[in-house]
Amino acid sequence: MFLKFNCIKKVNKLLIISFLAAIIFAACETSQNSYVVNGVVPDEAYDDYMAYVYDLDTREVIDSVIVVDGKFTYAGTVEVAVVRQFRLGSHSAVVILEKGNINVDMSNSKSVTGTRLNNELSKYLTEMAALQDERAAKLAETADLEENERRRRNDEISRQYRENVVVLATRMFNANKNNAVGLYVLLDSSISLDPDLFDALFAQGGDDVQNFGRLQNIVRLNEALRQTAEGKPFTDFTIENGNIDGSSVSLSDYVGKGKYVLVDFWASWCGPCIAEKPVLLEVFHEHVGENFEMLGVAVWNDREDTIEAIEEHKIEWSQILDAGDIPTNLYGIRTIPQIMLFGPDGTIVARGLRGNRLKEKVAEVLCDCN
């Protein structure tokens, strides 16, 4: 949704431009660490709209600038280079604020140039986009394959993509470990990096890297992941109003009670979570009984939306609602769905189950216990 800045009329654009120019001139005169961001937008339909500046760490709006004649200018000073995100409607671009003139095209998030670090950032973004385009093209080629073969092929494509990202991210980080580019590369590629590799790279980073809160949080989640790896005992949690009737419920009300329990951490807004529901429904109908139970844990989701999705998708197994980030922090979960299988004594049997692998793992353990 666009937020229109109605207080400034088009007839006053000359005044706006003169005022901005004065600010920019004053900033340049008073500091040797001044920057000017020269932005262009997709078209002049964005005139009089605000481009918002976000702190990439806190994800909060910290400033804004008005678009005039299809452009905006944002100026200031910095002691050290910092990473910011500019957003205009559905368009966004990551920019490193550092001394100099910076050019950004809001219709092309890879086009951020003009200073040394932004040129380096643009190089990384361009190479990453090429890998993403290659993966998308290969995935499109599998659309007409039989389901099992399509899943197998897609898994292989995704595995190769992650390997390519690791190579790119490691190379770019090692060349920029002490600056804001390295910070962004590590954050952007973190989901593809093995936790041990991520932690090793983070430990090599300079102050910009090690003081960045979101990267610190990933390190904490990686440690939680190790503590809840396959073969580890389950970690209990309690959600005060987690039952549909509003009463308190704990994971231990289900797990560690003598049955295998398949637990699906999900959210109603998550497309891949919903796409996995037919597989889960098939497993539920085939195996639920004396030795097997299923449980959904709704994370990062409004209660009403969860209940609506349960009804819409005819989800029949038990649910814990309003779990927020309590279980995701405990189990080191960064993406959903995260589907885990717990043994009768609560031991974590498997994590990251999806599709055929999910069905095969449940069938395997239940066959062994009969």
Side-chain angles (χ1 to χ4, degrees), residues 242-261:
N243 277 320
I244 289 184
D245 65 5
S247 60
S248 175
V249 61
S250 301
L251 183 64
S252 57
D253 293 336
Y254 297 89
V255 173
K257 300 294 187 182
K259 291 185 177 184
Y260 283 95
V261 183

Side-chain angles (χ1 to χ4, degrees), residues 189-306:
S189 62
S190 61
I191 205 67
S192 296
L193 301 180
D194 175 87
D196 290 339
L197 175 58
F198 179 93
D199 289 356
L201 294 176
F202 176 83
Q204 298 171 30
D207 290 344
D208 284 353
V209 172
Q210 298 206 357
N211 292 332
F212 198 73
R214 288 174 65 184
L215 294 180
Q216 294 172 346
N217 188 54
I218 294 172
V219 172
R220 287 191 290 269
L221 288 173
N222 286 344
E223 181 55 29
L225 181 63
R226 295 184 188 96
Q227 295 302 316
T228 56
E230 294 177 5
K232 297 282 189 178
F234 83 102
T235 299
D236 198 16
F237 58 84
T238 299
I239 306 301
E240 293 303 323
N241 62 336
N243 277 320
I244 289 184
D245 65 5
S247 60
S248 175
V249 61
S250 301
L251 183 64
S252 57
D253 293 336
Y254 297 89
V255 173
K257 300 294 187 182
K259 291 185 177 184
Y260 283 95
V261 183
L262 189 70
V263 180
D264 173 29
F265 298 90
W266 70 292
S268 66
W269 50 262
C270 166
C273 298
I274 301 304
E276 207 66 31
K277 292 297 180 267
V279 175
L280 290 168
L281 194 62
E282 180 182 338
V283 170
F284 178 80
H285 286 158
E286 184 171 351
H287 296 293
V288 71
E290 182 179 353
N291 297 320
F292 179 72
E293 189 171 3
M294 286 174 55
L295 173 68
V297 179
V299 298
W300 311 329
N301 208 182
D302 291 336
R303 185 183 190 89
E304 295 77 12
D305 292 340
T306 302

